C-alpha cells in the first residue's frame, strides 16, 4: 500500500466551504474537494498523475480558478494533490501526438514550492489542449489580463488581518516619537519615495528639505529611516539603499550630515554602517552609479556582510531542489547539500543579523543597506529585530514584523515571486523571503521556548506567499497596493491565521521580554529545513504529524486550564492584586511585561 | 593496590582551570586515586563552577607542554602567565571521554609533570577491582539494595506467553558452556541441555542461539547467536540444526539476518567461521547486511569528533567532513538493518535469527533497536533500561574492552569500538523522529553514554556476567540502572511528551532524516547547553501544569 502523497500540512491550504458537485460521477471522486467561497470549477478530466513516488496513478483532475486538485481513482493507491495555481511557475507540454512510450504525452508543471507535477493524457484527439490552455490562463492570470484569485475570493473570517499592523501604533509601542526621533508624513502621496510606506521615522533634527536632498543621493530615494529603537540605550536600526557615489566618487553633504544626525541621536562616538553586500559587489555597483559610504562620512565605520545577491540565492535554491526532488540524493547527501551552499547563505544572513543586533545591544546605532535596500536589508533588519525585541516573537508581533519590514518597506514580492505571471525565467525572481523564513525557523529550532508561534505558521506563510489567495504578499510596494486597493478588495492572510490561532501556537512559549536571542550561526548548528524543502517526499516524512499536533493541542489546552486555575488561585489569595508575576511560563493571559511595551492580546481559544 | 605510589604531587596551589562554558578559574588542584578535584579560591561564593570533580577514568588523553619562562615563554604563552613569577610552569590539556576538553595551567614544571603522569597512570588502570565503583559509597545507596532490574529467570517468569514452547535452561550455570552468556538462557522447550552443549561447540564463543524477544502480536521471536563454525570443509551440527528448527516450530520459514556481507560470511569460513547454508538449514532464508564494527567504527568516531572540535574552519566544508567521518552512515545502516529485522517479525510474521561473527556487537545493536521499534514495553524509561540490561550487560557486550578509550586517546587501539554509543545515537534518532513514542529523554541517553565510558557504578564494568561474578560486582558496587530509577533526577530522564503507542515506530533512514546527535557531539558548546536548558524548561512546564490542573 502506497502512502498518500497528500501534503502533511495540507491544512495550511485547506478550505472550508463545501460545494455541490456537478454530477454523480464527479461526486464519487471529487466529492471531498472543499472549494472556497468564490472559487469556481473550470474543468475536470480523467488523467494520469506520474507520481515520482508511486508511479503512474490514474485519477481525475479538477481545475478551479484557484487550485489544481487531483484524486486517484484506484482505491489501493490513495493519492491526493491540492495545489494552488499560484504555486505554479511553469506549465509545459510533454511529448507530442506521435510520442512513443507509455504516458509520454501530457503536461509538465513546475512549482515554486519545491516540486514538479507530471500528468499524462490519452494521445488521441488533442486531449490535453483544453486543460493546458485553461491551466496556462488561470495559473498566470496577470499575463492574460485576468484578476488574481485574491480579488475573487469571497471567504470571510472573524478577524480582520488588515488591522494587525498600524505604523503609528507600532512606533508608539517602540516609544516614538520622542525628543530625538520624529514621525514624518512627507511621503504621504509617495512623492518622496514611491517604494516606501507613507509614515516614516527620521531624526528629530532633520528638516523636510533635508530629507528631499538626501533622497536625491540614495538609490530610488530610499533614504535612511528608523526601523527600530532600543528602549533603554536608544540605539537604532536605520535602513536605506546605497548612496549614489558613482565612479566619480560623488559626495553629498546633506547625506553625510543626515547620517551624523542619526549618530548624534543617542550620542555615541561612532555610527556603524552595515553594507550587506560583499565588498567587491559594492565596488562594482559604483559603475552603475551606486556605491558605499567612504571616508568622507566621519564618525562612521563601514562593515561589509558578504551576503550574495538575489541571483546567487535563486541558483542556490535551484540546486537544492535538484537534490531533493523528486529523488533525494542519498549516496552523498551531505556533500551534495554542501555544494548547494544554501546553508552557507543562511549562515551569512544570520550572522549578519547577529552583528547588527549585537551592535545595537551595546548601544551603537546602525545603518543597514545593500543596493536598493529591499532584499538583504529587509532580511537583516527584520532578523535583528526578531533577536532584539521579544514582541516580534509573538504570533501577532511576527505578523507586524513582516508587514513592516517586508511588505510596507517594499520588498518586491510581485517581482521576486512572480504572482500570476508566466515569465518563469524572469531574472527578478528570487527566494529572498523564503530564506528569511528559513532563518526564522533556524532560530525557533535553537530557542524552542522563545517563539509564540509554531512551525505550521511558517509553513502557512510560505504556502500563501505563492497561493494568491490573500492580498498580503501581492505587489511590490505600498503605493502599488493602494492603487490596486488591496486592503479593500482582498483578504489578509492574517485574517485566516488570527481566526484560528491555536493552530499556530507553540505550547512551550515562555515570554521573556528583555531577552536578546543570539542564535548560533555556525554550520554545525544549522540544519536543512527538511519539513519544508523535502515535505513532498512521503519517504522522508517522520512520525505522523497528526498525533504530534494532537498532543501539542492537548498541551495548549492543559496550559490554558493551568493559567485559568492559577488566576483563580491568585484572585482568591488577594482579590485586589492583578496577575501576580509567577515565575512559571505563562503566555496567553499574561499581558506582556513592561508597561510601555504592553501589547494586549486577548487569547480565547476558538 | 596503593594509589599513592602513583601520586607524587597530590596538591598544587594556584592552578588555572579552563573549561568549556565557564570563565577560567584559579584555585587548588588535587589528585586522588580516582579523581581530579579542583576547587576555586572563592569557594564561599557558592558558584557551581567553583568545584570540579572529574573521574580520572573519564580522561581519555593527557597532553602536556612545559615551558621555562626564562627561556621561550612566548611559545606557549597564555593569558594569566604573565602574572606568575615562578620560573617555570606547564599546561596540561585533558581530553575526556565525554568529549569535554579541559586545560590546567600549573606552576612548576616538576609538579606539572607529576600531575600528568599520575593522571596518565590512574586513568587507565586495568584491574577491575581497583576501579572507582568498588570504592563508591554514597550515603543514599546501600550495597544490600537490589542489584539490576531483572534477571533472566524473572524475565522468563513474567513472559508467560513463552512458557508453552520455551524453557529456561541453566546449562550455563557455571559459565562453562558459554563464558559470555548469563547463567540462565531461554531456549526451545524440546531442546535438552545436552543438545545445547553440543550446539554451543558449533558456535563461536559457545554462543548458541538463545531467545531474546517474542513479539506478542504474532508469537514470532528473535533469537541471537554467534556465527556457526562451519569452516572451510562445511562442517555441520545436527543439534544446531534441530535447535533452529525448534525455533520456528511449525512454521515453514525463518530468516537469518547476518550482519556481515555475503562475501565476508564466505571469507569467515577460511578462519573457521561461516554461515547457515541453504542445504543444511533449508527452512531458513539468509539476509546479509554489511555492518561496520570494531576498528572501522572507532576510526569513524575519531574522525567525527575531530571534525566537531575543529574550530578553525567553522564553515569550511563542515558537511563534507561530517560525511567523510561516515558516522551517520553507520547510524543509517544500524537503523535500516534493525528495520529489516522488525519487518521480518512484524510484517512478514517470521521468526528471525540474528548474528554476525561473535554476536556481541552488531548483533546486539540490531536486536535492541528492533525491539525498540516493535515493542512499546521497551520504550518506557524502565523498559529501556531493562532492555539494555538484558541485551547488553547480561548478553555479554564486552564493555570494558570496547569503552576503554574514546575518540581522543593516543593509545594504540586494541579492542575499542563505540558500538554502544552507536546504539544510543540510533535511539536518539528514534526519539527525534518520534517525539511522543519514547518514554525516556535525551538526558538519559547522554548519561548512559557517559556512564559506559567512566562510571561510579558497577553496571558497565567487565566484559561478561562471569567476569562480574568473579570480581564481585554485584556485592561490592552499586547498580547504575537502579540508581537512575531512584534518582531525584529521575524526572529529567523522562520524556514529558511521552504517550504510549502500541504501534511499531518505523524510522526513516534516509540521510535527510538523520541528524548529527548534537547533544552529544557538540555538547560543550553554549548553543547545545541552551537547548538542554530549554528542554528542561519544557519538562518543568508540563509537570507544573499537570500538577495544578490535576490538583
Amino acid at each position: 500500500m502506497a502512502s498518500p502523497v497528500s501534503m502533511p500540512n495540507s491544512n495550511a491550504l485547506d478550505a472550508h466551504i463545501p460545494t455541490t458537485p456537478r454530477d454523480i460521477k464527479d461526486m464519487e471522486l471529487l466529492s471531498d474537494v472543499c472549494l472556497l467561497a468564490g472559487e469556481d470549477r473550470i474543468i475536470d478530466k480523467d488523467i494520469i498523475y506520474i507520481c515520482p513516488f508511486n508511479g503512474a496513478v490514474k485519477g481525475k483532475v479538477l481545475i478551479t480558478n484557484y487550485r489544481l486538485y487531483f484524486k486517484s481513482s484506484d482505491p489501493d493507491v490513495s493519492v491526493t494533490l491540492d495545489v494552488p495555481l499560484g504555486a505554479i511557475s511553469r506549465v509545459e507540454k510533454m511529448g507530442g501526438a506521435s510520442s512513443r512510450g507509455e504516458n509520454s504525452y501530457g503536461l509538465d508543471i513546475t512549482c515554486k514550492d519545491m516540486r514538479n507535477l507530471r500528468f499524462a493524457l490519452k494521445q488521441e484527439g488533442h486531449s490535453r489542449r483544453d486543460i493546458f490552455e485553461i491551466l496556462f490562463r488561470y495559473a498566470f492570470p496577470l499575463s492574460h489580463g485576468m484578476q488574481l484569485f485574491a480579488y475573487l475570493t469571497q471567504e470571510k473570517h472573524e478577524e480582520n488581518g488588515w488591522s494587525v499592523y498600524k505604523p503609528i501604533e507600532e512606533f508608539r509601542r517602540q516609544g516614538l516619537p520622542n525628543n530625538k526621533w520624529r514621525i514624518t508624513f512627507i511621503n504621504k502621496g509617495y512623492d518622496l519615495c514611491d517604494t516606501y510606506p507613507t509614515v516614516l521615522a527620521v531624526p528629530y533634527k532633520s528638516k523636510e528639505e533635508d530629507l528631499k536632498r538626501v533622497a536625491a543621493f540614495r538609490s530610488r530615494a530610499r533614504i535612511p529611516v528608523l526601523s527600530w529603537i532600543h528602549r533603554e540605550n536608544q540605539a537604532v536600526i536605520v535602513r536605506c539603499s546605497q548612496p549614489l557615489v558613482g565612479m566619480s566618487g560623488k559626495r553629498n553633504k546633506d547625506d553625510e550630515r543626515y547620517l551624523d544626525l542619526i549618530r548624534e541621536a543617542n550620542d555615541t562616538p561612532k555610527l556603524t554602517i552595515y553594507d550587506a553586500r560583499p565588498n567587491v559587489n559594492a565596488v562594482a555597483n559604483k559603475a552603475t552609479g551606486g556605491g558605499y559610504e567612504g571616508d568622507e562620512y566621519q564618525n562612521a565605520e563601514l562593515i561589509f556582510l558578504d551576503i550574495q545577491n538575489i541571483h546567487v540565492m535563486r541558483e542556490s535554491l535551484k540546486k537544492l531542489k535538484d537534490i531533493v526532488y523528486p529523488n533525494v540524493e542519498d549516496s552523498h547527501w551531505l556533500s551534495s547539500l554542501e555544494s548547494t551552499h544554501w546553508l552557507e547563505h543562511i549562515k551569512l544572513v544570520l550572522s549578519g543579523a547577529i552583528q547588527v543586533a549585537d551592535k545595537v545591544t551595546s548601544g551603537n546605532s546602525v545603518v543597514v543597506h545593500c543596493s536598493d535596500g529591499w532584499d538583504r536589508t529587509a532580511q537583516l533588519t527584520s532578523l535583528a529585530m526578531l533577536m532584539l525585541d521579544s514582541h516580534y516573537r509573538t504570533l501577532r508581533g511576527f505578523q507586524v514584523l513582516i508587514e513592516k519590514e517586508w511588505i510596507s518597506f517594499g520588498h518586491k514580492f510581485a517581482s521576486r515571486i512572480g504572482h500570476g505571471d508566466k515569465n518563469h525565467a524572469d531574472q527578478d525572481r528570487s527566494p529572498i523571503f523564503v530564506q528569511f523564513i528559513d532563518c526564522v525557523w533556524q532560530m525557533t529550532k535553537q530557542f524552542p521556548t522563545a517563539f509564540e508561534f509554531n512551525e505550521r505558521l511558517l509553513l502557512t506563510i510560505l504556502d500563501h506567499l505563492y497561493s494568491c489567495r490573500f492580498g498580503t504578499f501581492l505587489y511590490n510596494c505600498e503605493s502599488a497596493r493602494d492603487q490596486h486597493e488591496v486592503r479593500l478588495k482582498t483578504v489578509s492572510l492574517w485574517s485566516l491565521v488570527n481566526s484560528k490561532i491555536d493552530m499556530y501556537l507553540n505550547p512551550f512559549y515562555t515570554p521573556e521580554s528583555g531577552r536578546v536571542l543570539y542564535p548560533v550561526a555556525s554550520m554545525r548548528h544549522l540544519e536543512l529545513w527538511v519539513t519544508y524543502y523535502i515535505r513532498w517526499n512521503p519517504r522522508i516524512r517522520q512520525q505522523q504529524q497528526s498525533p504530534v499536533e494532537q498532543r501539542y493541542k492537548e498541551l495548549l489546552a492543559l496550559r490554558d486550564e493551568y493559567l485559568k486555575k492559577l488566576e483563580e488561585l491568585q484572585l482568591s489569595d488577594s482579590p485586589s492584586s492583578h496577575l501576580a508575576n509567577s515565575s512559571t511560563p505563562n503566555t496567553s493571559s499574561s499581558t506582556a511585561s513592561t508597561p510601555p511595551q504592553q501589547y494586549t492580546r486577548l487569547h480565547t481559544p476558538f | 593496590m596503593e594509589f599513592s605510589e602513583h601520586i607524587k604531587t597530590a596538591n598544587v596551589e594556584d592552578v588555572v582551570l579552563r573549561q568549556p562554558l565557564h570563565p577560567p578559574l584559579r584555585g587548588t588542584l588535587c589528585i586522588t586515586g580516582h579523581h581530579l578535584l579542583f576547587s576555586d579560591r572563592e569557594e564561599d561564593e557558592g558558584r557551581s563552577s567553583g568545584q570540579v570533580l572529574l573521574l580520572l577514568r573519564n580522561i581519555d588523553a593527557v597532553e602536556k607542554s612545559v615551558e621555562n619562562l626564562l627561556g621561550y615563554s612566548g611559545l606557549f604563552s597564555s593569558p594569566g602567565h604573565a602574572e606568575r613569577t615562578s620560573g617555570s610552569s606547564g599546561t596540561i590539556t585533558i581530553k575526556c571521554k565525554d568529549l569535554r576538553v579541559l586545560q590546567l595551567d600549573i606552576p612548576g614544571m616538576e609538579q606539572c609533570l607529576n600531575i600528568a603522569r599520575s593522571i596518565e597512570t590512574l586513568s587507565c588502570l586495568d584491574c577491575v577491582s581497583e576501579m572507582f565503583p568498588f570504592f563508591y559509597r554514597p550515603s543514599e545507596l546501600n550495597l544490600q539494595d537490589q542489584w539490576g532490574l531483572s534477571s533472566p529467570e524473572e524475565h522468563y517468569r513474567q513472559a508467560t506467553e513463552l512458557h508453552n514452547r520455551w524453557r529456561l535452561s541453566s546449562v550455563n550455570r557455571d559459565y562453562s558452556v558459554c563464558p559470555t552468556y548469563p547463567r540462565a538462557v531461554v531456549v526451545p522447550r524440546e531442546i535438552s541441555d545436552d543438545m545445547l552443549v553440543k550446539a554451543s561447540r558449533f558456535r563461536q564463543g559457545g554462543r548458541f542461539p538463545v531467545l531474546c524477544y517474542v513479539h506478542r502480536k504474532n508469537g514470532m521471536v528473535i533469537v541471537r547467536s554467534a556465527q556457526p563454525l562451519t569452516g572451510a570443509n562445511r562442517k555441520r551440527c545436527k543439534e544446531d540444526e534441530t535447535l533452529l528448527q525448534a525455533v520456528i516450530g511449525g512454521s515453514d520459514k525463518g530468516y537469518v539476518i547476518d550482519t556481515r556481507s555475503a562475501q565476508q560470511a564466505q571469507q569467515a569460513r577460511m578462519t573457521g567461521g561461516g554461515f547457515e547454508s541453504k542445504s543444511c538449514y533449508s527452512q531458513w532464508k539468509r539476509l546479509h547486511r554489511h555492518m561496520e564494527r570494531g576498528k572501522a567504527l572507532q576510526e569513524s568516531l575519531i574522525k567525527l569528533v575531530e571534525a566537531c572540535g575543529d574550530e578553525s574552519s567553522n564553515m569550511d566544508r563542515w558537511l563534507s567532513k561530517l560525511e567523510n567521518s561516515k558516522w551517520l552512515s553507520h547510524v543509517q545502516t544500524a537503523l535500516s538493518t534493525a528495520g529489516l529485522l522488525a519487518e521480518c517479525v512484524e510484517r512478514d510474521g517470521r521468526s528471525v535469527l540474528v548474528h554476525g561473527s561473535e554476536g556481541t556487537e552488531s548483533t546486539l545493536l540490531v536486536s535492541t533497536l528492533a525491539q525498540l521499534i516493535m515493542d512499546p514495553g521497551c520504550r518506557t524509561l524502565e523498559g529501556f533500561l531493562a532492555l539494555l540490561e538484558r541485551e547488553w550487560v547480561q548478553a555479554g557486550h564486552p564493555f570494558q574492552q570496547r569503552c576503554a578509550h574514546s575518540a581522543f586517546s593516543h593509545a594504540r587501539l586494541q579492542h575499542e569500538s563505540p558500538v554502544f554509543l552507536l546504539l544510543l545515537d540510533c535511539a536518539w534518532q528514534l526519539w527525534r523522529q518520534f517525539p511522543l513514542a519514547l518514554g525516556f529523554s535525551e538526558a538519559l541517553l547522554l548519561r548512559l553514554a557517559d556512564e559506559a565510558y567512566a562510571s561510579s557504578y558497577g553496571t558497565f564494568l567487565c566484559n561478561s556476567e562471569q567476569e562480574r561474578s568473579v570480581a564481585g560486582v554485584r556485592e561490592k558496587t552499586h547498580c547504575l540502572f537502579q540508581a537512575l530509577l531512584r534518582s531525584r533526577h529521575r524526572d529529567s530522564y523522562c520524556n514529558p511528551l511521552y504517550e504510549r503507542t502500541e504501534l511499531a515506530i518505523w524510522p526513516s533512514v534516509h540521510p535527510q532524516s538523520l541528524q548529527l546527535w548534537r547533544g552529544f557531539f557538540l555538547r560543550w558548546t553554549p548553543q547545545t547547553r541552551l537547548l538542554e536548558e530549554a528542554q528542561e524548561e519544557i519538562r518543568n512546564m508540563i509537570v507544573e501544569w499537570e500538577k495544578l490542573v490535576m490538583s
Side-chain angles (χ1 to χ4, degrees), chain B residues 53-248:
Chain B
L53 182 68
L54 186 72
L55 205 53
L56 291 175
R57 188 82 192 161
N58 189 1
I59 296 174
D60 206 24
V62 188
E63 287 155 21
K64 49 188 183 282
S65 60
V66 281
E67 63 184 286
N68 194 320
L69 268 192
L70 303 171
Y72 43 92
S73 65
L75 219 72
F76 302 98
S77 76
S78 57
H81 271 186
E83 304 157 25
R84 240 169 264 159
T85 48
S86 60
S88 62
S89 74
T91 296
I92 299 180
T93 305
I94 292 175
K95 298 184 172 176
C96 299
K97 293 170 183 168
D98 61 14
L99 306 187
R100 199 170 6 161
V101 177
L102 309 175
Q103 199 183 306
L104 294 164
D105 298 341
I106 298 170
M109 195 193 315
E110 199 186 321
Q111 285 174 315
C112 179
L113 291 174
N114 284 345
I115 296 278
R117 207 170 299 125
S118 297
I119 294 175
E120 271 162 9
T121 318
L122 294 167
S123 63
C124 37
L125 296 172
D126 282 330
C127 176
V128 176
S129 62
E130 287 178 4
M131 289 181 189
F132 184 60
F134 287 91
F135 299 84
Y136 181 52
R137 296 288 176 264
S139 55
E140 70 274 15
L141 294 174
N142 194 320
L143 282 180
Q144 271 72 57
D145 292 341
Q146 188 193 342
W147 211 100
L149 303 176
S150 177
S151 62
E153 289 88 349
E154 274 171 68
H155 187 241
Y156 176 76
R157 201 161 46 240
Q158 280 160 11
T160 47
E161 66 275 19
L162 284 177
H163 295 182
N164 251 339
R165 291 190 46 227
W166 300 82
R167 71 185 182 91
L168 191 72
S169 164
S170 308
V171 68
N172 197 39
R173 70 182 71 80
D174 55 358
Y175 304 107
S176 59
V177 178
C178 172
T180 59
Y181 269 172
R183 289 168 201 268
V185 289
V186 179
V187 294
R189 194 162 273 288
E190 64 228 67
I191 304 299
S192 68
D193 281 358
D194 282 349
M195 291 171 81
L196 292 178
V197 172
K198 286 180 183 140
S200 77
R201 291 186 197 127
F202 188 62
R203 294 276 170 176
Q204 184 175 359
R207 294 177 71 94
F208 55 89
V210 295
L211 179 120
C212 68
Y213 174 69
V214 58
H215 195 46
R216 288 187 177 80
K217 283 178 203 157
N218 59 16
M220 293 300 125
V221 298
I222 301 176
V223 289
R224 52 173 160 70
S225 67
Q227 64 178 338
L229 300 173
T230 46
N233 42 16
R234 301 174 192 276
K235 266 199 305 243
R236 295 180 63 162
C237 171
K238 207 82 245 113
E239 290 76 11
D240 190 74
E241 288 166 27
T242 316
L243 171 52
L244 284 186
Q245 187 57 45
V247 166
I248 45 175

Side-chain angles (χ1 to χ4, degrees), chain B residues 303-452:
Chain B
K303 271 192 189 162
L304 175 60
V305 169
E306 208 175 83
C308 289
D310 182 3
E311 279 162 26
S312 59
S313 54
N314 191 337
M315 174 150 84
D316 192 25
R317 317 219 356 108
W318 154 250
L319 290 172
S320 294
K321 282 182 188 161
L322 182 56
E323 182 173 285
N324 288 339
S325 80
K326 296 213 177 87
W327 181 261
L328 283 173
S329 70
H330 299 318
V331 170
Q332 181 187 27
T333 312
L335 279 172
S336 70
T337 310
L340 174 74
L341 169 52
E343 243 178 310
C344 292
V345 174
E346 158 117 4
R347 291 194 176 151
D348 246 26
R350 302 291 175 189
S351 289
V352 183
L353 165 68
V354 201
H355 70 72
S357 23
E358 295 170 358
T360 54
E361 322 287 319
S362 45
T363 304
L364 306 181
L365 181 58
V366 170
S367 73
T368 308
L369 288 171
Q371 293 179 57
L372 267 180
I373 290 172
M374 288 188 287
D375 183 7
C378 294
R379 300 187 207 132
T380 62
L381 175 60
E382 293 87 347
F384 181 60
L385 293 178
L387 176 69
L388 295 183
E389 184 176 69
R390 275 198 316 275
E391 289 294 279
W392 291 80
V393 179
Q394 291 167 1
H397 175 69
F399 277 100
Q400 195 180 334
Q401 291 181 348
R402 300 295 175 258
C403 301
H405 286 288
S406 181
F408 290 123
S409 174
H410 303 301
R412 204 153 59 86
L413 287 183
Q414 291 181 316
H415 305 291
E416 290 80 1
S417 182
V419 198
F420 187 66
L421 187 61
L422 186 58
L423 169 83
L424 297 175
D425 194 330
C426 292
W428 178 81
Q429 306 282 349
L430 281 172
W431 178 82
R432 202 184 137 268
Q433 291 190 17
F434 298 89
L436 313 181
L438 299 173
F440 50 86
S441 68
E442 181 174 11
L444 178 81
L445 298 173
L446 289 170
R447 175 81 192 263
L448 290 169
D450 291 348
E451 298 285 344

Side-chain angles (χ1 to χ4, degrees), chain A residues 335 338 524 527 543 584-585, chain B residues 307 310 320 323 518 541 544:
Chain A
S335 45
E338 186 168 68
R524 286 167 176 67
E527 268 175 41
Q543 180 167 20
T584 52
Chain B
D310 182 3
S320 294
E323 182 173 285
R518 294 198 177 82
M541 246 180 245
E544 192 168 340

